[in-house]
Amino acid sequence: NILVTAEWIKLLIGGTLFLTVYILTAPIIGAISQKDTQTLRTMFSDLGAISKLLNVPLGLAEKAATINNT
């Protein structure tokens, strides 16, 4: 065991790392298009504070999708 931490911290770090890699690579390989990210942004727009938090990763996904389109 390299990290001597609580299991929930490992889960949080692993989940964050997975979501970061997924959000950046899925649009690049074409699994998610720019239109899909815009649709997700519209779907989550009524969630209040959560929608503001989700705008950051969705913005990154849109930028990554533009890399695939070029």
Side-chain angles (χ1 to χ4, degrees):
N1 219 357
I2 297 172
L3 297 173
V4 181
T5 57
E7 296 297 321
W8 66 271
I9 294 175
K10 290 180 188 178
L11 178 65
L12 186 65
I13 292 171
T16 304
L17 183 63
F18 171 77
L19 287 175
T20 303
V21 170
Y22 181 78
I23 285 171
L24 293 176
T25 57
I28 292 174
I29 63 172
I32 298 173
S33 69
Q34 193 171 9
K35 185 175 179 173
D36 292 334
T37 57
Q38 291 170 351
T39 303
L40 286 171
R41 189 183 303 264
T42 304
M43 285 173 41
F44 293 130
S45 66
D46 292 335
L47 293 178
I50 296 173
S51 70
K52 292 178 183 174
L53 291 173
L54 291 174
N55 278 336
V56 174
L58 288 175
L60 291 173
E62 278 188 61
K63 289 180 183 177
T66 59
I67 292 172
N68 188 28
N69 291 338
T70 58

